[in-house]
Amino acid sequence: MLLRGILATAALLSFALLSAHLLSPATGTVDDVDSDSFSSFMFSVAPFSLGNPAAAAALTLYPPATPQESLTAADPFRYRHPIRAKSGDTLTGLLVGAGVGRSDAVAAADALREIFDPRRIRPGHEVSLMFERAVGDDSPGDFLGFTMAPDFAREVEVARTENGGFTAIEIEKALTRGPARAAGIIDNSLFVDGERAGVPIPVLLEMIRAFSWDVDFQRDILPGDAFEVMWQRTWDDAGQPVHEGFVLYAKLTLSGSPHAIYRFETANGDIGYFDQKGQGARKALLRTPIDGARLSSRFGKRTHPILGYTKVHKGVDFAAPPGTPIYAAGDGRIEKAGRNGAYGNYIRIRHHSDYSTAYAHLSRFAKIARVGSRVRQGQVIGYVGTTGRSTGPHLHYEILRAGVHTNPLSVKMPAGEKLAGKQLERFMAVRKDVDRTFAELVDGKAIATAD
Ligand SMILES: [Zn+2]
């Protein structure tokens, strides 16, 4: 293995020990470092001195080409230490945890504040620290600064100044934005074949959610069905996609019948998806208030898996891994949230009109799930579990109409918004434009327009 080969090099041993120390302070051996974080540590090559060619030229990325010759105790070397923010982390805490002195950490965070508020650091943000140290020194070394990307459009470098303080420089990236398209035939699932056709996962998820009102992804999609999608994409100046935006248009052709949706902003600023005639895709209730689940039991008579005798199943079951988020099926108010006998942890939402929905066997509740709270459609209310009388992790979902249990998979959902008058005219113009753009684009390529 390449990595082991490198590690065996005597000249690098102190470096390996150092990185083991940095990555997992409790242990002293390289074998305890998982190879993923180790290799990203070693081979991370994002430019440290952005917009500062002189500093960039002076920078030696580790490991150097000929380590045996160039590494002597007299030569300090620079190295990068990327760390990823976790929930609850502060920038100062992250820096101190990586071996930066407290006063330096505070000063560096202060310098960043001029461009980006360090309190806005979120889990997953990567901060790439730069140190300089002498061979044989077992401390992390002198802290030189760090880089981070507050978002896909910007990069910030905080670097030590001559007087020992820190200064921040913002580099705005040159970006272009435009539509990208993909299309294909479904042989496995929209997810698998969509990804194969180059549709990014967040785009697929948005597409699935937009269609989830009308399409039962469990039953309605058959091999040979087709999809088309166009979404907003952002590229950097090297032509690499750096951000995937919203779905502009999508079409599923199911058993020969086309279902198209178009993104449209209504006069009151709401953004939604509408079919070719301007009928809102969104319905008042979701049939499937969970992503990525498998329908494991239908509504109606069945032999109960635990009780053994035939019993009417008053809802549908979706098998999903424990902890999978559960969405409120529609806007409404929480009517019940707590233990409820065989249902285990249970939530019931009262919606406008005469519908309510119920969710059972949850592992835990989201904060919003308190009696009396207002919830919006799609808001996470709890997580899949197996509490109450249940054989394994799943969501038991019920729709009640005027207090009567109905089959969530076949009940006719209350319709969504229908565009009319001036709005419909404006929508038809948007639709025409989108159709024309989609036809002009070639799969995988895009006409980038200046931002
Ligand atoms: Zn059930």
Side-chain angles (χ1 to χ4, degrees):
M1 265 180 45
L2 176 66
L3 196 58
R4 290 209 178 273
I6 293 170
L7 293 183
T9 309
L12 286 179
L13 194 58
S14 63
F15 170 73
L17 288 172
L18 164 77
S19 56
H21 162 76
L22 284 173
L23 289 167
S24 88
T27 61
T29 65
V30 172
D31 286 332
D32 289 326
V33 179
D34 86 79
S35 60
D36 272 1
S37 53
F38 187 78
S39 56
S40 72
F41 173 78
M42 278 181 88
F43 302 116
S44 178
V45 289
F48 175 66
S49 292
L50 294 153
N52 184 348
L59 189 66
T60 310
L61 269 181
Y62 203 80
T66 52
Q68 291 87 343
E69 286 159 36
S70 63
L71 275 186
T72 69
D75 286 332
F77 62 90
R78 291 177 174 194
Y79 68 92
R80 184 182 299 286
H81 177 40
I83 44 181
R84 204 169 276 280
K86 292 190 295 293
S87 177
D89 277 341
T90 63
L91 179 62
T92 312
L94 279 172
L95 296 180
V96 170
V100 177
R102 176 155 288 277
S103 59
D104 273 356
V106 170
D110 268 348
L112 177 67
R113 188 163 290 125
E114 287 170 26
I115 293 171
F116 177 76
D117 185 347
R119 284 174 305 187
R120 286 178 50 215
I121 284 198
R122 292 287 171 266
H125 262 145
E126 189 178 284
V127 182
S128 187
L129 279 59
M130 185 57 88
F131 290 97
E132 181 174 82
R133 69 180 268 276
V135 173
D137 177 2
D138 64 0
S139 80
D142 296 329
F143 174 56
L144 303 179
F146 65 89
T147 55
M148 69 165 298
D151 51 57
F152 67 87
R154 295 184 296 160
E155 208 145 10
V156 180
E157 179 187 352
V158 171
R160 204 179 265 285
T161 58
E162 274 180 13
N163 62 22
F166 290 90
T167 182
I169 315 156
E170 178 176 5
I171 297 94
E172 222 170 290
K173 298 182 191 166
L175 300 172
T176 47
R177 185 176 301 157
R181 71 164 255 177
I185 301 294
I186 303 171
D187 292 319
N188 302 284
S189 68
L190 177 59
F191 211 87
V192 168
D193 296 301
E195 224 194 324
R196 203 167 284 163
V199 186
I201 287 170
V203 171
L204 275 171
L205 288 175
E206 192 185 355
M207 188 177 161
I208 289 170
R209 194 159 303 166
F211 277 115
S212 64
W213 310 101
D214 275 328
V215 175
D216 174 357
F217 280 82
Q218 194 87 31
R219 296 190 304 177
D220 295 346
I221 296 190
L222 300 170
D225 286 344
F227 68 92
E228 294 181 345
V229 58
M230 183 165 78
W231 70 96
Q232 190 81 287
R233 175 174 261 184
T234 306
W235 294 263
D236 66 13
D237 55 2
Q240 287 302 309
V242 290
H243 183 71
E244 309 294 356
F246 44 77
V247 171
L248 292 158
Y249 154 80
K251 184 163 93 175
L252 289 175
T253 304
L254 307 175
S255 306
S257 71
H259 304 257
I261 50 166
Y262 298 81
R263 186 181 197 269
F264 181 68
E265 185 174 343
T266 61
N268 60 13
D270 284 345
I271 289 162
Y273 292 95
F274 295 84
D275 73 6
Q276 271 145 309
K277 293 177 177 157
Q279 172 69 55
R282 179 185 193 267
K283 302 278 196 302
L285 292 178
L286 285 168
R287 278 189 209 285
T288 308
I290 185 169
D291 286 333
R294 183 173 58 81
L295 181 66
S296 56
S297 183
R298 296 176 186 282
F299 184 86
K301 268 193 191 162
R302 63 161 185 181
T303 304
H304 193 276
I306 290 179
L307 303 174
Y309 51 83
T310 304
K311 202 170 178 281
V312 173
H313 188 222
K314 290 179 170 178
V316 287
D317 291 344
F318 297 104
T324 303
I326 297 165
Y327 308 118
D331 297 354
R333 193 181 281 278
I334 306 257
E335 206 172 34
K336 274 188 181 166
R339 292 297 287 199
N340 185 6
Y343 282 116
N345 288 330
Y346 173 90
I347 294 173
R348 195 164 75 213
I349 302 173
R350 169 141 212 94
H351 305 286
H352 318 299
S353 70
D354 54 356
Y355 288 86
S356 44
T357 52
Y359 313 78
H361 310 308
L362 280 54
S363 58
R364 59 195 176 89
F365 299 96
K367 275 204 190 91
I368 190 81
R370 298 231 170 81
V371 174
S373 300
R374 279 194 176 284
V375 287
R376 297 293 306 262
Q377 186 172 62
Q379 199 168 1
V380 175
I381 50 170
Y383 302 88
V384 168
T386 184
T387 55
R389 198 153 64 215
S390 165
T391 50
H394 76 283
L395 167 67
H396 170 93
Y397 175 50
E398 294 178 358
I399 298 182
L400 296 96
R401 188 172 183 187
V404 178
H405 287 91
T406 54
N407 183 350
L409 300 182
S410 60
V411 63
K412 193 164 165 28
M413 293 295 185
E417 187 180 3
K418 171 97 174 82
L419 299 174
K422 279 261 178 285
Q423 291 230 84
L424 185 60
E425 260 172 55
R426 204 159 55 80
F427 170 77
M428 288 301 177
V430 167
R431 196 198 116 184
K432 217 173 133 191
D433 204 42
V434 163
D435 285 341
R436 188 180 42 77
T437 308
F438 185 82
E440 283 170 4
L441 289 172
V442 179
D443 283 0
K445 297 268 188 324
I447 307 162
T449 52
D451 210 10

